[in-house]
Amino acid sequence: MSRYDSVVSRRNMLAVAGMAGATALAGCIDGDASNGDGNGGDDGSVPDPDDEVVDHADTYFLTANSISQISDFQYNPNQWAGYTHISFGLFAEWAQYIFDQDEYHPHAVEDWELEPGQMTLHLSDEFTWGNGDDITADDFIMQLELGDPLEDKLYDFVDEFEAVDDHTIELYFDEDTNQDLVRHVVLDRSLDHPPADWGEVHEAYLDGEDVQGDIFGHDVQEPTPSGPVELTETDEQRARFDIRDDHHLADNYNWNGYQMEYRTGNEAYHQSFAAGELDGVHSLFAGPGALQQFPDTLEQIQIPGGFGLGIVFNHDDDHFGERSVRQAFCYAVDTESAIAAAGADTKMEFPVQAGLTVPSTSDWVNPGEYKSYDQDHQRVEALLQDAGYERNDDDLWERDGSTIDTSIVVPAGWSDWVTPVSTMVDQLSQAGFDAELASEDQGVWEQALSSGDFSVAAYNHIGGGDAAVNHPYYSFSWKFENDEHGRPNFFNYPEDEVITIPDGNGGEISVNPREELSTIANTNDD
């Protein structure tokens, strides 16, 4: 299921480039937004930068996050805890990916050329750091070099890079390398390693020292921004970010900046919006009935989330290590009713289980050639009986005295996951699985994943936030090589697994999925 989150804003609160914008209770979806893009008017129109700017509003946009308390905020982008979206305005993007166009919009990198074996970046000469220093090619290079000890994905594809002059960079790679992948690993990043904050660590790297631990542990309390806002004040209740007067885009803003508070989760957000305490948040699940609580000055905008609720199996599990059991699980559930439980406007159903995001499926494959997993209890029975299972006295599937333990681990605070998973647990129980909902604190959920102590888990179907989510290489590498929780592959997918699948022409072929990843990475043939 792909995710529709929600961001809420007071209508006409913001005015950017001379136009009163309608930001909103925006959502994350895997598809095109149909009600504007958050950068224009209620009709989805885009502001004209030549229009007259309205009078400055002496006000701050009040928002919140539910990831970290204000006292835990930190500004090292290599640490997840305490960073998240508090830094969205602090650091300028190299370029902004437009999902429905599959194109990058220039920003700090104002132009680029991509050809076999080489990519050239032309950098804007208008960006400065918050301390007044010009941002040059050397700063971009420093950031790329600091990615080396962290095994930045750039190094999977790019062999060398250099600053040609103050505003030009050349990157070199094998001529057969997929240029789409190079485009994504180069442009999808922000200027978030200012020399004023990271210079000493970079010098140690250039001296040949092992700086991986230093990079992860580096403490940045007063960040030097490259973006349009700067951190100006922090107390126990909120952090304040003001528009930088010296930023070359400062005149596009006619409001003071934004202030960020902390909320404990979805329900706390809902209560705050109903009481008129917040102007907006960048991502929030608002299921059936939630929107009706809010004032009519709030508006929902749905945007591609790039991730959502998926189900992963531990391939070392005695039962779910078998493909037939995993298939039986899929035939036992009805995803449409699971989506309906969470709210039909918050999720999208996959057309087929092809491993791709919803909007990209038809771009890359013919869905008609793929197996459908519509709910089918007869298929469940046939698959499990062929695998040696039979129903016991409790009407549960059992083999050698062991039932199929289907305890699905899910983060307790993620109501848009807990609700549909609860529906799926009911469906699995009806189909004879020994199923239960294991709703745990997020830390317990993460620990279960990292230790391999689970049989089935609710988990992102793809890595959210990355521009390349709709490309098959990233969809598949997320599934087959995911080491996000501390293992080469935390759900223990076999290293050399070869599976037999239909070839689309009535026959069968044998495939090693991980070998196919290398094939995709080294071809420019769609």
Side-chain angles (χ1 to χ4, degrees), residues 112-121 160 162 164 169-175 177 179 182:
W112 54 88
E113 292 113 34
L114 188 56
E115 57 188 78
Q118 182 172 319
M119 186 176 190
T120 303
L121 306 182
E160 297 180 62
E162 61 176 343
V164 178
I169 293 175
E170 299 278 8
L171 302 101
Y172 309 99
F173 48 89
D174 189 280
E175 290 188 358
T177 300
Q179 293 177 32
V182 173

PDB file of all heavy atoms in Angstrom, residues 112-121 160 162 164 169-175 177 179 182:
ATOM      1  N   TRP A 112      23.310  21.030 -15.954  1.00  0.00           N
ATOM      2  CA  TRP A 112      24.182  19.869 -16.007  1.00  0.00           C
ATOM      3  C   TRP A 112      24.086  19.200 -17.372  1.00  0.00           C
ATOM      4  O   TRP A 112      23.099  19.359 -18.090  1.00  0.00           O
ATOM      5  CB  TRP A 112      23.836  18.862 -14.903  1.00  0.00           C
ATOM      6  CG  TRP A 112      22.389  18.450 -14.889  1.00  0.00           C
ATOM      7  CD1 TRP A 112      21.799  17.435 -15.566  1.00  0.00           C
ATOM      8  CD2 TRP A 112      21.328  19.094 -14.156  1.00  0.00           C
ATOM      9  NE1 TRP A 112      20.450  17.376 -15.310  1.00  0.00           N
ATOM     10  CE2 TRP A 112      20.135  18.383 -14.454  1.00  0.00           C
ATOM     11  CE3 TRP A 112      21.280  20.188 -13.285  1.00  0.00           C
ATOM     12  CZ2 TRP A 112      18.911  18.739 -13.896  1.00  0.00           C
ATOM     13  CZ3 TRP A 112      20.056  20.534 -12.741  1.00  0.00           C
ATOM     14  CH2 TRP A 112      18.896  19.814 -13.042  1.00  0.00           C
ATOM     15  N   GLU A 113      25.155  18.481 -17.721  1.00  0.00           N
ATOM     16  CA  GLU A 113      25.170  17.652 -18.928  1.00  0.00           C
ATOM     17  C   GLU A 113      25.581  16.246 -18.540  1.00  0.00           C
ATOM     18  O   GLU A 113      26.477  16.047 -17.726  1.00  0.00           O
ATOM     19  CB  GLU A 113      26.161  18.190 -19.964  1.00  0.00           C
ATOM     20  CG  GLU A 113      25.778  19.519 -20.577  1.00  0.00           C
ATOM     21  CD  GLU A 113      26.744  20.621 -20.170  1.00  0.00           C
ATOM     22  OE1 GLU A 113      27.950  20.337 -20.012  1.00  0.00           O
ATOM     23  OE2 GLU A 113      26.287  21.764 -19.978  1.00  0.00           O
ATOM     24  N   LEU A 114      24.891  15.274 -19.109  1.00  0.00           N
ATOM     25  CA  LEU A 114      25.131  13.875 -18.792  1.00  0.00           C
ATOM     26  C   LEU A 114      25.323  13.119 -20.091  1.00  0.00           C
ATOM     27  O   LEU A 114      24.496  13.193 -20.999  1.00  0.00           O
ATOM     28  CB  LEU A 114      23.952  13.312 -18.010  1.00  0.00           C
ATOM     29  CG  LEU A 114      24.064  11.914 -17.401  1.00  0.00           C
ATOM     30  CD1 LEU A 114      25.271  11.805 -16.478  1.00  0.00           C
ATOM     31  CD2 LEU A 114      22.791  11.568 -16.645  1.00  0.00           C
ATOM     32  N   GLU A 115      26.442  12.427 -20.207  1.00  0.00           N
ATOM     33  CA  GLU A 115      26.769  11.642 -21.391  1.00  0.00           C
ATOM     34  C   GLU A 115      27.492  10.381 -20.949  1.00  0.00           C
ATOM     35  O   GLU A 115      27.874  10.265 -19.778  1.00  0.00           O
ATOM     36  CB  GLU A 115      27.637  12.465 -22.343  1.00  0.00           C
ATOM     37  CG  GLU A 115      28.926  12.966 -21.708  1.00  0.00           C
ATOM     38  CD  GLU A 115      29.674  13.933 -22.597  1.00  0.00           C
ATOM     39  OE1 GLU A 115      29.281  15.121 -22.668  1.00  0.00           O
ATOM     40  OE2 GLU A 115      30.665  13.478 -23.230  1.00  0.00           O
ATOM     41  N   PRO A 116      27.686   9.412 -21.845  1.00  0.00           N
ATOM     42  CA  PRO A 116      28.374   8.190 -21.434  1.00  0.00           C
ATOM     43  C   PRO A 116      29.742   8.498 -20.817  1.00  0.00           C
ATOM     44  O   PRO A 116      30.599   9.131 -21.429  1.00  0.00           O
ATOM     45  CB  PRO A 116      28.520   7.417 -22.745  1.00  0.00           C
ATOM     46  CG  PRO A 116      27.370   7.878 -23.577  1.00  0.00           C
ATOM     47  CD  PRO A 116      27.207   9.328 -23.239  1.00  0.00           C
ATOM     48  N   GLY A 117      29.896   8.087 -19.564  1.00  0.00           N
ATOM     49  CA  GLY A 117      31.186   8.221 -18.890  1.00  0.00           C
ATOM     50  C   GLY A 117      31.430   9.538 -18.199  1.00  0.00           C
ATOM     51  O   GLY A 117      32.436   9.670 -17.494  1.00  0.00           O
ATOM     52  N   GLN A 118      30.565  10.532 -18.353  1.00  0.00           N
ATOM     53  CA  GLN A 118      30.881  11.841 -17.772  1.00  0.00           C
ATOM     54  C   GLN A 118      29.615  12.639 -17.474  1.00  0.00           C
ATOM     55  O   GLN A 118      28.648  12.625 -18.237  1.00  0.00           O
ATOM     56  CB  GLN A 118      31.765  12.646 -18.729  1.00  0.00           C
ATOM     57  CG  GLN A 118      32.194  13.994 -18.196  1.00  0.00           C
ATOM     58  CD  GLN A 118      33.213  14.673 -19.081  1.00  0.00           C
ATOM     59  OE1 GLN A 118      34.136  14.027 -19.604  1.00  0.00           O
ATOM     60  NE2 GLN A 118      33.079  15.966 -19.263  1.00  0.00           N
ATOM     61  N   MET A 119      29.642  13.357 -16.337  1.00  0.00           N
ATOM     62  CA  MET A 119      28.592  14.298 -15.981  1.00  0.00           C
ATOM     63  C   MET A 119      29.243  15.616 -15.581  1.00  0.00           C
ATOM     64  O   MET A 119      30.201  15.640 -14.806  1.00  0.00           O
ATOM     65  CB  MET A 119      27.744  13.765 -14.820  1.00  0.00           C
ATOM     66  CG  MET A 119      26.543  14.631 -14.481  1.00  0.00           C
ATOM     67  SD  MET A 119      25.501  13.891 -13.172  1.00  0.00           S
ATOM     68  CE  MET A 119      24.067  14.971 -13.231  1.00  0.00           C
ATOM     69  N   THR A 120      28.741  16.724 -16.121  1.00  0.00           N
ATOM     70  CA  THR A 120      29.264  18.053 -15.819  1.00  0.00           C
ATOM     71  C   THR A 120      28.205  18.847 -15.075  1.00  0.00           C
ATOM     72  O   THR A 120      27.056  18.935 -15.524  1.00  0.00           O
ATOM     73  CB  THR A 120      29.653  18.798 -17.111  1.00  0.00           C
ATOM     74  OG1 THR A 120      30.604  18.026 -17.847  1.00  0.00           O
ATOM     75  CG2 THR A 120      30.258  20.158 -16.780  1.00  0.00           C
ATOM     76  N   LEU A 121      28.584  19.409 -13.930  1.00  0.00           N
ATOM     77  CA  LEU A 121      27.685  20.230 -13.136  1.00  0.00           C
ATOM     78  C   LEU A 121      28.089  21.693 -13.252  1.00  0.00           C
ATOM     79  O   LEU A 121      29.267  22.033 -13.067  1.00  0.00           O
ATOM     80  CB  LEU A 121      27.735  19.824 -11.659  1.00  0.00           C
ATOM     81  CG  LEU A 121      27.484  18.358 -11.306  1.00  0.00           C
ATOM     82  CD1 LEU A 121      27.538  18.175  -9.795  1.00  0.00           C
ATOM     83  CD2 LEU A 121      26.153  17.880 -11.861  1.00  0.00           C
ATOM     84  N   GLU A 160      35.503   8.966 -10.257  1.00  0.00           N
ATOM     85  CA  GLU A 160      36.296  10.149  -9.933  1.00  0.00           C
ATOM     86  C   GLU A 160      35.448  11.398 -10.116  1.00  0.00           C
ATOM     87  O   GLU A 160      34.473  11.402 -10.868  1.00  0.00           O
ATOM     88  CB  GLU A 160      37.523  10.258 -10.836  1.00  0.00           C
ATOM     89  CG  GLU A 160      38.527   9.135 -10.722  1.00  0.00           C
ATOM     90  CD  GLU A 160      39.700   9.347 -11.677  1.00  0.00           C
ATOM     91  OE1 GLU A 160      40.408  10.359 -11.508  1.00  0.00           O
ATOM     92  OE2 GLU A 160      39.876   8.525 -12.584  1.00  0.00           O
ATOM     93  N   GLU A 162      36.086  16.053  -9.911  1.00  0.00           N
ATOM     94  CA  GLU A 162      37.018  17.144  -9.670  1.00  0.00           C
ATOM     95  C   GLU A 162      36.331  18.478  -9.922  1.00  0.00           C
ATOM     96  O   GLU A 162      35.369  18.571 -10.695  1.00  0.00           O
ATOM     97  CB  GLU A 162      38.236  17.030 -10.581  1.00  0.00           C
ATOM     98  CG  GLU A 162      37.912  17.098 -12.065  1.00  0.00           C
ATOM     99  CD  GLU A 162      39.145  17.076 -12.941  1.00  0.00           C
ATOM    100  OE1 GLU A 162      40.243  17.341 -12.409  1.00  0.00           O
ATOM    101  OE2 GLU A 162      39.010  16.801 -14.145  1.00  0.00           O
ATOM    102  N   VAL A 164      36.577  21.795 -11.743  1.00  0.00           N
ATOM    103  CA  VAL A 164      37.268  22.367 -12.902  1.00  0.00           C
ATOM    104  C   VAL A 164      37.556  23.844 -12.661  1.00  0.00           C
ATOM    105  O   VAL A 164      38.617  24.352 -13.007  1.00  0.00           O
ATOM    106  CB  VAL A 164      36.423  22.179 -14.175  1.00  0.00           C
ATOM    107  CG1 VAL A 164      37.099  22.817 -15.380  1.00  0.00           C
ATOM    108  CG2 VAL A 164      36.163  20.699 -14.426  1.00  0.00           C
ATOM    109  N   ILE A 169      31.970  21.311 -11.957  1.00  0.00           N
ATOM    110  CA  ILE A 169      32.470  20.027 -11.457  1.00  0.00           C
ATOM    111  C   ILE A 169      32.306  18.986 -12.552  1.00  0.00           C
ATOM    112  O   ILE A 169      31.288  18.950 -13.243  1.00  0.00           O
ATOM    113  CB  ILE A 169      31.697  19.578 -10.196  1.00  0.00           C
ATOM    114  CG1 ILE A 169      31.994  20.525  -9.030  1.00  0.00           C
ATOM    115  CG2 ILE A 169      32.039  18.145  -9.812  1.00  0.00           C
ATOM    116  CD1 ILE A 169      31.173  20.223  -7.789  1.00  0.00           C
ATOM    117  N   GLU A 170      33.317  18.120 -12.706  1.00  0.00           N
ATOM    118  CA  GLU A 170      33.243  16.990 -13.626  1.00  0.00           C
ATOM    119  C   GLU A 170      33.241  15.699 -12.815  1.00  0.00           C
ATOM    120  O   GLU A 170      34.024  15.544 -11.866  1.00  0.00           O
ATOM    121  CB  GLU A 170      34.441  16.975 -14.583  1.00  0.00           C
ATOM    122  CG  GLU A 170      34.558  18.197 -15.484  1.00  0.00           C
ATOM    123  CD  GLU A 170      33.666  18.114 -16.703  1.00  0.00           C
ATOM    124  OE1 GLU A 170      32.837  17.174 -16.762  1.00  0.00           O
ATOM    125  OE2 GLU A 170      33.786  18.978 -17.591  1.00  0.00           O
ATOM    126  N   LEU A 171      32.353  14.774 -13.185  1.00  0.00           N
ATOM    127  CA  LEU A 171      32.316  13.448 -12.574  1.00  0.00           C
ATOM    128  C   LEU A 171      32.503  12.407 -13.661  1.00  0.00           C
ATOM    129  O   LEU A 171      31.965  12.557 -14.773  1.00  0.00           O
ATOM    130  CB  LEU A 171      30.991  13.219 -11.850  1.00  0.00           C
ATOM    131  CG  LEU A 171      30.631  14.226 -10.746  1.00  0.00           C
ATOM    132  CD1 LEU A 171      29.618  15.241 -11.268  1.00  0.00           C
ATOM    133  CD2 LEU A 171      30.081  13.514  -9.507  1.00  0.00           C
ATOM    134  N   TYR A 172      33.273  11.346 -13.359  1.00  0.00           N
ATOM    135  CA  TYR A 172      33.618  10.345 -14.359  1.00  0.00           C
ATOM    136  C   TYR A 172      33.186   8.959 -13.883  1.00  0.00           C
ATOM    137  O   TYR A 172      33.303   8.620 -12.701  1.00  0.00           O
ATOM    138  CB  TYR A 172      35.127  10.364 -14.627  1.00  0.00           C
ATOM    139  CG  TYR A 172      35.663  11.752 -14.922  1.00  0.00           C
ATOM    140  CD1 TYR A 172      36.296  12.488 -13.919  1.00  0.00           C
ATOM    141  CD2 TYR A 172      35.507  12.327 -16.179  1.00  0.00           C
ATOM    142  CE1 TYR A 172      36.791  13.764 -14.170  1.00  0.00           C
ATOM    143  CE2 TYR A 172      35.997  13.609 -16.449  1.00  0.00           C
ATOM    144  CZ  TYR A 172      36.625  14.322 -15.431  1.00  0.00           C
ATOM    145  OH  TYR A 172      37.095  15.594 -15.691  1.00  0.00           O
ATOM    146  N   PHE A 173      32.700   8.152 -14.818  1.00  0.00           N
ATOM    147  CA  PHE A 173      32.226   6.808 -14.502  1.00  0.00           C
ATOM    148  C   PHE A 173      32.352   5.939 -15.741  1.00  0.00           C
ATOM    149  O   PHE A 173      32.640   6.424 -16.855  1.00  0.00           O
ATOM    150  CB  PHE A 173      30.772   6.860 -14.010  1.00  0.00           C
ATOM    151  CG  PHE A 173      29.855   7.680 -14.876  1.00  0.00           C
ATOM    152  CD1 PHE A 173      29.178   7.114 -15.947  1.00  0.00           C
ATOM    153  CD2 PHE A 173      29.690   9.037 -14.626  1.00  0.00           C
ATOM    154  CE1 PHE A 173      28.344   7.876 -16.753  1.00  0.00           C
ATOM    155  CE2 PHE A 173      28.850   9.814 -15.435  1.00  0.00           C
ATOM    156  CZ  PHE A 173      28.189   9.229 -16.493  1.00  0.00           C
ATOM    157  N   ASP A 174      32.152   4.631 -15.575  1.00  0.00           N
ATOM    158  CA  ASP A 174      32.228   3.704 -16.690  1.00  0.00           C
ATOM    159  C   ASP A 174      31.164   4.055 -17.734  1.00  0.00           C
ATOM    160  O   ASP A 174      30.024   4.377 -17.392  1.00  0.00           O
ATOM    161  CB  ASP A 174      32.019   2.271 -16.189  1.00  0.00           C
ATOM    162  CG  ASP A 174      32.304   1.241 -17.265  1.00  0.00           C
ATOM    163  OD1 ASP A 174      31.405   1.030 -18.113  1.00  0.00           O
ATOM    164  OD2 ASP A 174      33.386   0.640 -17.247  1.00  0.00           O
ATOM    165  N   GLU A 175      31.527   3.988 -18.992  1.00  0.00           N
ATOM    166  CA  GLU A 175      30.606   4.405 -20.062  1.00  0.00           C
ATOM    167  C   GLU A 175      29.336   3.561 -20.113  1.00  0.00           C
ATOM    168  O   GLU A 175      28.314   4.019 -20.635  1.00  0.00           O
ATOM    169  CB  GLU A 175      31.316   4.368 -21.424  1.00  0.00           C
ATOM    170  CG  GLU A 175      32.375   5.454 -21.584  1.00  0.00           C
ATOM    171  CD  GLU A 175      32.910   5.520 -23.001  1.00  0.00           C
ATOM    172  OE1 GLU A 175      32.476   4.682 -23.835  1.00  0.00           O
ATOM    173  OE2 GLU A 175      33.751   6.389 -23.277  1.00  0.00           O
ATOM    174  N   THR A 177      27.660   2.531 -17.495  1.00  0.00           N
ATOM    175  CA  THR A 177      26.843   2.748 -16.307  1.00  0.00           C
ATOM    176  C   THR A 177      25.524   3.420 -16.675  1.00  0.00           C
ATOM    177  O   THR A 177      25.477   4.332 -17.500  1.00  0.00           O
ATOM    178  CB  THR A 177      27.596   3.634 -15.304  1.00  0.00           C
ATOM    179  OG1 THR A 177      28.812   2.987 -14.937  1.00  0.00           O
ATOM    180  CG2 THR A 177      26.760   3.860 -14.040  1.00  0.00           C
ATOM    181  N   GLN A 179      22.919   5.866 -16.886  1.00  0.00           N
ATOM    182  CA  GLN A 179      22.990   7.305 -16.645  1.00  0.00           C
ATOM    183  C   GLN A 179      21.864   7.802 -15.740  1.00  0.00           C
ATOM    184  O   GLN A 179      22.019   8.802 -15.032  1.00  0.00           O
ATOM    185  CB  GLN A 179      22.975   8.062 -17.974  1.00  0.00           C
ATOM    186  CG  GLN A 179      24.220   7.817 -18.810  1.00  0.00           C
ATOM    187  CD  GLN A 179      24.161   8.518 -20.156  1.00  0.00           C
ATOM    188  OE1 GLN A 179      23.575   9.584 -20.298  1.00  0.00           O
ATOM    189  NE2 GLN A 179      24.767   7.918 -21.169  1.00  0.00           N
ATOM    190  N   VAL A 182      23.176   7.504 -12.245  1.00  0.00           N
ATOM    191  CA  VAL A 182      24.150   8.557 -11.964  1.00  0.00           C
ATOM    192  C   VAL A 182      23.437   9.873 -11.684  1.00  0.00           C
ATOM    193  O   VAL A 182      23.761  10.597 -10.736  1.00  0.00           O
ATOM    194  CB  VAL A 182      25.136   8.708 -13.142  1.00  0.00           C
ATOM    195  CG1 VAL A 182      26.049   9.914 -12.915  1.00  0.00           C
ATOM    196  CG2 VAL A 182      25.958   7.446 -13.329  1.00  0.00           C
TER     197      VAL A 182
END
